[in-house]
Amino acid sequence: MQINHDIAVFMTSPVMIVLGTSDDASQPAIGRAIGALVQKDEGSIDLMVSEWQWPATVANVRANGRLAATFARPSDYVSFQVKGRAAVLPATAEHLSSAARYVERITATLEGLGLDGRIVTPWFVNRDLVAVRLPVDEIFVQTPGAKAGQLVERQ
Amino acid sequence: MMAIRLRDLSACFEGVIPSIIATAAADGSPNISYLSHVVLVDDERIALSNQFFSKTAANVRANPAAAVLVVDPRNGEQYRLDVSFEQTLDSGELFDEMAVQLRASSAQLGMGEVMRLRGVDIYRVSALNAVPSPSTVQAYSPATTGPQLAAMAAVSRGICQASDVDSVVDSVLEGLQTLQYGNAMLLLTEPDSDRLVTIGTRGYERSGIGSEVVIGEGVIGMAAQERRPIRISDMSRVQRFGSAVQTSSAEENRTRTISLPGMPDAMSQLALPMIAQGTLRGVLFLESCRRLAFTREDEAALSIIAMQAAAALALAGDESGEAQPVSSLVATGATKPGGPIRVVHYAYDDSIFIDNDYLIKGVPGRLLIYLLRTYLREGRSEFSNREIRLADELRLPDVKDNLETRLLLLRRRLEEKAAPVQLLHVGRGRVRLELAGPVLLDKAAGGTD
């Protein structure tokens, strides 16, 4: 699916990125990504994840590909959720530098909202980084409220 | 390493850093979402508020297994909980508690849309683990607990020694100071009124004695209406209206209203209803400029103090121990040499101005006028509560007239204004007028005699 320009801009801005996966027994797991890189031609996004910090998340994607990623803007909770079948790739230099930029920007954003920078460091870990490539099949509104869960686009 | 208990993570459930939940549909497809309210029920269960029909709610009904991530707002450490959906509650103690808390925080956030609680989803926690983080060596240490029981017992001993409203109020507020709660207020209900009135405060620039809160309004009013504690742990997003409020004497004179004291930079607030014999007696209110100043432990401990204070107040209001009518009152002049004191009484609301400064209105105002008139007529300055209660011109309601509270309010307000008229407590059920000069009593238009 061609990724809508506004959504691509939103996903690569300093937003919180949380990942939902499940194992083969349908036990869910939670993880965080530190940045997104849009692959426009492929209609997919690469999410950078610390396999050291979130081993279950990465293992689940390797096992069955099922992934839900929610992007939430900290200032107003505007959120979107993308769902699809993902694959784990080794992180490239571009992934690493993109993740480093993200950590800088999101930390500054959260500090601007009054959070202490030391408090947010445990959320943005770059040890053993992998890229999780997620084809954007479905996008849902996730902003809290009556419209939460509504489908925005489907391939 | 010691196993982490759910109760050790109570700071994670204060709603400061949003929690996250991941669920999976019957076919295994995951869903991930931020949560507005997660409550710690006990060491095995947590509760999630369900305001909207969400994918999360649908998923756990098909597949009860879920994962929850909570964050300690003090250090950012993350904890993952493996949980299993058990049931939905749409009534009961826990439901009511969450509904009130939800309403209080949406009102505080100035959200137009009222978030109505549809249900409370209960989850059983089967595993609890710290998420690894390279920034800190994760030697787990249990969170510091709330006030120590021994210190609470000392405060309790102070309250149970108090025999009148005055000393109950002081023993509660002094006790909170010894427990290191810097800013506190005690407000009492007014019979036949929709308001609470401030009878004592600590830690504020001005005491605000005599200021009023409408039941149902704000954190204090809501705790009174719902008769449940309300705790706010992070007010950084709260719209602040208070800072612009004028608190000068000129403003009091104009509006004939005393404004409630408050911290302009409060980050945490705790309002506790005071209930005795099933009746709401008042609200104990604390605030702090620190985030997360009041834990669940604080709330529980201070609720006990608030309830004991309510019982002590109910007993103090009982007249059984009150002084007998005074048979031989000494007609000593209460006047000290000084310039004349001009007291103006507006009968329509019983508001009193002394030397052009607003003092008080309502029953306490009427009481002062009665005392001054009797003084001018009979030359005596000492009064028993009993004769005041029986005075026809005061139009006091027959039962539960709350006389002692009103006299206390009047006395403290005169004290705070450093008025040339003072009221002294001279033994149980007895008060004396002290005047810094001759009194000129003026009835404003519409006054009655």
Side-chain angles (χ1 to χ4, degrees):
Chain A
M1 180 171 91
Q2 191 66 36
I3 300 175
N4 170 304
H5 175 73
D6 292 344
I7 294 210
V9 168
F10 182 84
M11 291 191 299
T12 52
S13 68
V15 289
M16 298 297 284
I17 308 170
V18 292
L19 309 177
T21 58
S22 63
D23 66 14
D24 290 340
S26 289
Q27 168 64 49
I30 295 173
R32 293 187 192 270
I34 54 168
L37 209 53
V38 172
Q39 307 292 329
K40 273 224 165 97
D41 302 340
E42 301 183 29
S44 65
I45 44 170
D46 289 358
L47 303 166
M48 283 69 85
V49 181
S50 162
E51 187 168 8
W52 176 79
Q53 191 174 34
W54 308 108
T57 297
V58 176
N60 288 346
V61 174
R62 282 207 173 97
N64 57 43
R66 294 191 294 243
L67 180 65
T70 285
F71 302 78
R73 189 157 59 197
S75 58
D76 54 9
Y77 306 112
V78 165
S79 313
F80 293 97
Q81 182 167 212
V82 178
K83 291 186 179 184
R85 291 271 172 173
V88 177
L89 309 173
T92 63
E94 197 191 1
H95 289 130
L96 296 184
S97 63
S98 168
R101 261 198 320 277
Y102 168 84
V103 173
E104 247 170 59
R105 291 171 73 204
I106 189 76
T107 303
T109 301
L110 293 172
E111 281 176 338
L113 292 170
L115 278 171
D116 189 322
R118 285 167 301 181
I119 283 177
V120 308
T121 27
W123 313 342
F124 309 118
V125 172
N126 64 1
R127 192 185 290 188
D128 299 345
L129 222 52
V130 297
V132 173
R133 181 159 295 177
L134 176 65
V136 179
D137 295 337
E138 293 176 317
I139 302 178
F140 301 87
V141 179
Q142 198 80 14
T143 310
K147 281 185 182 162
Q150 226 171 60
L151 190 67
V152 181
E153 291 176 44
R154 173 175 280 163
Q155 191 160 24
Chain B
M1 187 162 114
M2 209 167 98
I4 309 169
R5 294 168 306 180
L6 212 43
R7 79 179 85 156
D8 299 327
L9 303 185
S10 60
C12 300
F13 296 89
E14 297 292 346
V16 177
I17 311 285
S19 305
I20 303 164
I21 186 166
T23 56
D27 69 356
S29 55
N31 190 81
I32 183 143
S33 175
Y34 278 99
L35 290 167
S36 58
H37 286 71
V38 187
V39 170
L40 180 61
V41 179
D42 54 34
D43 267 348
E44 271 131 38
R45 295 176 304 159
I46 58 171
L48 272 50
S49 66
N50 180 6
Q51 295 102 265
F52 312 106
F53 293 120
S54 64
K55 186 71 180 155
T56 296
N59 278 358
V60 296
R61 279 155 184 79
N63 167 24
V68 170
L69 188 82
V70 296
V71 180
D72 189 326
R74 298 167 302 183
N75 54 20
E77 290 301 335
Q78 309 176 94
Y79 299 88
R80 57 189 173 82
L81 277 49
D82 289 339
V83 301
S84 177
F85 172 69
E86 269 193 345
Q87 59 168 327
T88 298
L89 305 176
D90 57 10
S91 63
E93 191 69 11
L94 184 63
F95 178 88
D96 292 345
E97 191 185 303
M98 282 183 79
V100 170
Q101 196 63 44
L102 189 64
R103 237 183 1 259
S105 43
S106 8
Q108 289 260 315
L109 293 172
M111 292 178 66
E113 176 194 13
V114 176
M115 304 235 270
R116 198 176 67 82
L117 190 62
R118 287 178 194 281
V120 170
D121 289 350
I122 306 289
Y123 291 77
R124 184 161 291 278
V125 179
S126 56
L128 198 177
N129 292 288
V131 172
S133 155
S135 58
T136 47
V137 184
Q138 244 323 72
Y140 166 71
S141 62
T144 48
T145 50
Q148 296 298 306
L149 270 181
M152 300 295 298
V155 175
S156 174
R157 269 197 301 282
I159 296 170
C160 71
Q161 290 301 321
S163 60
D164 54 21
V165 177
D166 199 359
S167 44
V168 172
V169 171
D170 282 342
S171 63
V172 172
L173 293 172
E174 296 300 333
L176 294 181
Q177 299 268 293
T178 66
L179 296 175
Q180 310 300 322
Y181 298 109
N183 290 71
M185 317 183 195
L186 202 154
L187 300 93
L188 296 177
T189 48
E190 287 260 79
D192 308 319
S193 152
D194 62 346
R195 277 151 209 272
L196 297 156
V197 61
T198 309
I199 193 77
T201 65
R202 289 293 184 281
Y204 298 98
E205 208 172 300
R206 36 175 212 99
S207 79
I209 284 181
S211 54
E212 295 179 343
V213 169
V214 175
I215 290 177
E217 280 183 12
V219 171
I220 295 171
M222 215 178 276
Q225 185 171 54
E226 305 291 342
R227 298 157 64 112
R228 283 176 188 284
I230 292 180
R231 186 162 46 102
I232 313 274
S233 294
D234 183 354
M235 296 178 59
S236 55
R237 293 178 300 156
V238 170
Q239 298 173 345
R240 297 178 190 281
F241 301 105
S243 50
V245 174
Q246 292 291 321
T247 55
S248 62
S249 291
E251 189 64 14
E252 278 186 4
N253 293 348
R254 193 180 64 76
T255 58
R256 300 181 186 192
T257 308
I258 305 160
S259 61
L260 192 71
M263 299 179 83
D265 54 349
M267 284 295 251
S268 304
Q269 294 186 327
L270 178 60
L272 303 154
M274 297 166 49
I275 299 166
Q277 295 168 322
T279 304
L280 180 77
R281 309 276 165 168
V283 170
L284 185 59
F285 176 76
L286 298 91
E287 58 187 338
S288 166
C289 57
R290 288 182 299 119
R291 273 194 177 101
L292 296 162
F294 309 112
T295 62
R296 258 164 77 95
E297 298 288 308
D298 288 297
E299 180 185 316
L302 293 168
S303 283
I304 297 172
I305 298 273
M307 295 308 176
Q308 195 199 353
L313 286 168
L315 285 169
D318 183 356
E319 293 162 34
S320 56
E322 195 163 284
Q324 291 307 300
V326 184
S327 49
S328 60
L329 281 167
V330 193
T332 52
T335 316
K336 288 178 190 161
I341 307 161
R342 187 162 176 265
V343 179
V344 182
H345 173 218
Y346 292 85
Y348 77 94
D349 64 351
D350 289 312
S351 58
I352 306 286
F353 285 71
I354 297 181
D355 292 339
N356 298 318
D357 246 4
Y358 172 72
L359 180 73
I360 207 156
K361 65 186 167 198
V363 175
R366 227 145 65 208
L367 282 169
L368 181 61
I369 291 303
Y370 167 78
L371 298 177
L372 289 172
R373 275 189 194 139
T374 312
Y375 164 73
L376 290 174
R377 197 168 56 228
E378 300 174 17
R380 68 185 169 95
S381 57
E382 216 168 295
F383 305 84
S384 75
N385 286 8
R386 187 179 167 84
E387 66 161 303
I388 298 171
R389 185 171 284 116
L390 296 174
D392 288 339
E393 64 180 284
L394 278 170
R395 314 185 305 272
L396 292 176
D398 299 339
V399 249
K400 306 220 182 244
D401 58 9
N402 227 6
L403 178 66
E404 207 188 339
T405 305
R406 264 91 179 241
L407 280 171
L408 178 60
L409 187 59
L410 175 61
R411 181 150 61 78
R412 291 193 166 188
R413 179 69 179 155
L414 285 165
E415 215 174 271
E416 167 158 83
K417 295 293 282 183
V421 178
Q422 292 288 320
L423 198 60
L424 302 184
H425 184 62
V426 287
R428 187 156 167 79
R430 195 101 49 94
V431 289
R432 186 169 67 220
L433 271 180
E434 289 238 315
L435 307 169
V439 173
L440 303 173
L441 199 52
D442 248 0
K443 274 177 303 173
T448 55
D449 209 343

